[in-house]
Amino acid sequence: MGYQLPPYGLQAMLKEGHRHLSGLEEVVLKNIDACKELSAITRTSMGPNGMNKMVINHLDKLFVTNDAATIVNELEVQHPAAKIVVLEGKAQQEEIGDGANLTISFAGELLHGAEELIRMGLHPSEIISGYTKAIKKAIEILEELVEKDSDKIDVRNKEVITRMKAAVASKQFGQEDVLCSLIADVCIQVCPKDPANFNVDNVHVAKLLGGGLHNSTVVRGMVLKNDAVGSIKRVEKAQLVFSGGVDTSATETKGTVLIHSAEQLETYAKTEEAKVEELIKAVAESGAKVIVSGGAVGEMALHFCERHKLMVLKISSKFELRRFYRTTGAVALLNLSPPNADDLGYADSISIQEIGGATVTIVKNEEGGNSVSTVVLRASTDSILDDLERAVDDGVNTYKAMCRDSRIVPGAAATEIELAKRVKEFSFKETGLDQYAIAKFAESFEMVPKTLAENAGLNAMEIISSLYAEHSSGNTKVGIDLEGGVCKDVSVMRIWDLFITKFFALKYVADAACTVLRVDKIIMAKTSRRSKER
């Protein structure tokens, strides 16, 4: 029998079955590799000519999209370091609603530069110090690149179209003019008196199969994908009452009714009918023309609603119900009862129409306030409709960001090349080892024009050298014209990016890269049986 040495060090401290990794090769470089792999997935989807990814998630749902936020959400990334980059992309998506691809791809490029510096002999602490200095300088330069007087804009003006075009074109290239016009219309309709209070939830998207994008419209109000209950299909200048259900209400306690004869049974049934009719009649006399139910609609109640010319709508989705409350200004009642004047909502018209084979309820509210508006999207397949919806979401989020800070910077990679040039010049003024990290940070900005050019099938090296030549001679607004394959002034092409998008992207990227580089040990406990089953 062999003598077994007792465990010592970390093995003695932790439970059996744990894993422990440490050192540059095992931890830092492997973490960097995982982040590089993730950014390689999203990078080819960047820009107007970005390629689509076909992702099938754990529920077997198919996604065909070039939206980086959707791709990384559905991938279910497990690696802890790559998860940090995914969270950084999610933070950008939630804060601004655009620029998730830039943050993920740029983080991968920064970590690729850090890997080269580590192999040269630099310590991660020196790289972090250099990156921190570089990001501060980059944000200073970014503020200098802001277009003059761009903060003086009326967000209720159609001028917003030019500012959201770049964000929408990166999702739907060639269709950005149609989409931006729809998005601008719908956002201007629901914009409050103080634009800073703009709420994205007030813009509703209804997706209907059939037709094409040119058939898409904007409706002041809501579009519901269901039919009315009953035969009344159209009501003008309607007052509405909301109820949890339109049916005979059950009592709170159980009771037994003893019936001795047929007359008593008939009287009991008539009494129930009379109670329901009395209730429906009281609702009709209050001035209401429409009853909106969040629950079941009983046959007897429906019969009396028809008799008193009341339209009945059933909405089972609580999210759509909330939007409906906002659209009409009605107050929800727990059970159907005669409403007060304050409880009633109002809609200019409610009509049932058939669009592309689908029966929809259109609730228009053009006169009585328009707190909710709907974009009706038309396309041939569900995946195209989903991608159009993501483009609309990006456009609406860009409008929201514009309401907070409307400053713009040159798009089409002009800003990135100028940042690369000036941060590189800044690195020459540094004396310590930080200068190498700052220089790598500057080089990382070249990833944007390089990726845009490669995705458009252009010669990336020629484009980058042309951009550097133009920017060195003082033309700071020169970017890439992807259609012509040449470098042009962005003020002629009218391609602008929001300052706030770039600002948050740079902040999140630097934080994520420095967090990954700061990790020098990974200690994993033994996986429990329950988490394995999940």
Side-chain angles (χ1 to χ4, degrees):
M1 185 176 134
Y3 179 71
Q4 193 173 0
L5 283 167
Y8 63 94
L10 202 64
Q11 279 78 14
M13 186 176 73
L14 297 172
K15 268 187 180 178
E16 194 181 336
H18 78 280
R19 287 179 67 199
H20 167 239
L21 305 167
S22 65
L24 280 177
E25 285 291 337
E26 272 197 327
V27 177
V28 181
L29 296 178
K30 281 190 176 174
N31 282 351
I32 289 172
D33 274 344
C35 297
K36 278 163 57 186
E37 287 297 323
L38 180 68
S39 74
I41 293 169
T42 60
R43 188 175 299 181
T44 51
S45 295
M46 186 187 277
N49 300 91
M51 305 299 281
N52 281 352
K53 302 286 178 283
M54 196 176 277
V55 182
I56 300 161
N57 70 0
H58 64 291
L59 298 170
D60 267 356
K61 187 176 180 194
L62 173 69
F63 294 85
V64 182
T65 179
N66 61 356
D67 181 42
T70 307
I71 293 165
V72 295
N73 266 344
E74 300 304 329
L75 282 179
E76 292 191 7
V77 175
Q78 287 298 307
H79 194 282
K83 264 186 179 175
I84 292 169
V85 177
V86 170
L87 289 171
E88 157 233 10
K90 279 185 181 174
Q92 174 75 8
Q93 190 68 18
E94 284 167 17
E95 186 70 38
I96 304 296
D98 183 36
N101 201 333
L102 174 65
T103 50
I104 295 166
S105 304
F106 193 44
E109 192 67 21
L110 277 184
L111 290 167
H112 175 65
E115 182 184 13
E116 290 179 7
L117 293 172
I118 288 167
R119 295 197 188 280
M120 278 167 55
L122 262 74
H123 192 272
S125 299
E126 291 160 343
I127 299 168
I128 291 165
S129 170
Y131 278 4
T132 308
K133 285 181 183 176
I135 192 66
K136 282 181 183 171
K137 186 66 181 173
I139 286 170
E140 280 176 29
I141 298 164
L142 189 66
E143 288 181 349
E144 291 169 21
L145 294 175
V146 170
E147 187 68 7
K148 195 180 176 187
D149 294 333
S150 61
D151 55 335
K152 295 169 186 170
I153 180 178
D154 178 12
V155 289
R156 292 182 186 81
N157 193 315
K158 281 294 183 84
E159 192 190 335
V160 294
I161 290 176
T162 56
R163 301 194 178 195
M164 64 172 72
K165 202 169 272 188
V168 176
S170 65
K171 300 287 179 292
Q172 293 289 330
F173 187 46
Q175 298 176 326
E176 67 270 18
D177 292 327
V178 180
L179 276 171
C180 284
S181 180
L182 290 171
I183 296 163
D185 282 346
V186 77
C187 290
I188 290 165
Q189 280 175 22
V190 299
C191 187
K193 286 180 181 176
D194 181 5
N197 297 330
F198 180 83
N199 187 359
V200 175
D201 287 341
N202 289 343
V203 175
H204 182 51
V205 177
K207 299 177 287 184
L208 299 174
L209 274 174
L213 186 60
H214 59 279
N215 299 119
S216 301
T217 54
V218 171
V219 174
R220 283 194 172 205
M222 273 195 76
V223 176
L224 302 165
K225 287 165 78 174
N226 54 12
D227 197 351
V229 184
S231 62
I232 299 167
K233 303 293 184 186
R234 185 176 184 87
V235 178
E236 298 286 338
K237 291 188 170 52
Q239 287 191 308
L240 306 95
V241 61
F242 275 86
S243 156
V246 183
D247 206 351
T248 49
S249 56
T251 54
E252 288 182 15
T253 55
K254 286 188 177 179
T256 307
V257 178
L258 196 60
I259 293 169
H260 294 288
S261 63
E263 287 81 9
Q264 285 180 340
L265 179 62
E266 197 176 341
T267 309
Y268 177 78
K270 280 181 178 174
T271 309
E272 189 183 10
E273 280 183 30
K275 283 279 182 193
V276 175
E277 184 173 15
E278 186 186 334
L279 179 61
I280 300 294
K281 189 179 178 184
V283 170
E285 284 173 353
S286 71
K289 290 184 181 178
V290 181
I291 297 176
V292 181
S293 170
V297 178
E299 286 185 15
M300 192 191 298
L302 181 61
H303 164 72
F304 289 116
C305 286
E306 294 280 309
R307 183 182 285 182
H308 290 281
K309 300 285 186 288
L310 286 173
M311 185 182 196
V312 182
L313 293 175
K314 185 183 172 186
I315 304 173
S316 44
S317 163
K318 62 181 181 183
F319 301 108
E320 289 196 337
L321 265 174
R322 280 179 197 154
R323 283 201 183 101
F324 212 111
Y325 298 153
R326 286 209 300 273
T327 306
T328 58
V331 176
L333 303 173
L334 189 62
N335 292 314
L336 188 63
S337 58
N340 300 323
D342 296 340
D343 297 336
L344 291 170
Y346 176 81
D348 287 341
S349 71
I350 299 176
S351 59
I352 309 299
Q353 293 180 22
E354 194 170 313
I355 303 175
T359 305
V360 295
T361 305
I362 297 175
V363 183
K364 288 188 178 177
N365 211 351
E366 294 184 16
E367 289 174 20
N370 49 328
S371 56
V372 175
S373 280
T374 304
V375 181
V376 180
L377 292 176
R378 307 293 310 285
S380 54
T381 66
D382 284 323
S383 60
I384 294 173
L385 278 171
D386 289 342
D387 224 23
L388 285 170
E389 184 185 17
R390 282 188 277 270
V392 170
D393 282 346
D394 270 22
V396 173
N397 280 307
T398 303
Y399 184 87
K400 184 190 174 184
M402 218 183 297
C403 290
R404 285 168 57 189
D405 185 348
S406 61
R407 288 179 293 171
I408 52 173
V409 291
T415 300
E416 281 78 10
I417 281 290
E418 187 62 19
L419 285 168
K421 182 178 83 73
R422 288 170 68 174
V423 173
K424 186 86 170 176
E425 288 167 4
F426 170 68
S427 73
F428 298 143
K429 295 171 187 172
E430 288 291 310
T431 51
L433 288 169
D434 297 350
Q435 63 178 301
Y436 298 107
I438 295 169
K440 278 288 176 201
F441 195 98
E443 279 176 33
S444 300
F445 281 114
E446 292 178 11
M447 177 275 300
V448 175
K450 185 183 175 190
T451 307
L452 290 175
E454 282 174 353
N455 289 348
L458 307 173
N459 187 325
M461 295 317 294
E462 274 183 23
I463 292 286
I464 291 171
S465 56
S466 302
L467 284 172
Y468 270 125
E470 290 282 357
H471 282 253
S472 298
S473 57
N475 301 325
T476 57
K477 291 182 189 172
V478 172
I480 310 170
D481 176 11
L482 294 173
E483 288 182 14
V486 292
C487 298
K488 262 189 191 175
D489 193 314
V490 294
S491 52
V492 175
M493 295 189 286
R494 298 179 72 77
I495 300 173
W496 303 100
D497 288 333
L498 287 184
F499 164 82
I500 197 168
T501 307
K502 299 273 190 227
F503 174 77
F504 276 103
L506 289 176
K507 269 184 67 176
Y508 290 141
V509 164
D511 286 348
C514 292
T515 306
V516 171
L517 290 171
R518 276 198 182 96
V519 177
D520 73 332
K521 275 191 183 184
I522 299 176
I523 304 154
M524 289 180 278
K526 185 182 179 182
T527 312
S528 68
R529 193 184 304 159
R530 191 178 293 172
S531 63
K532 277 182 182 175
E533 286 169 3
R534 280 177 192 165

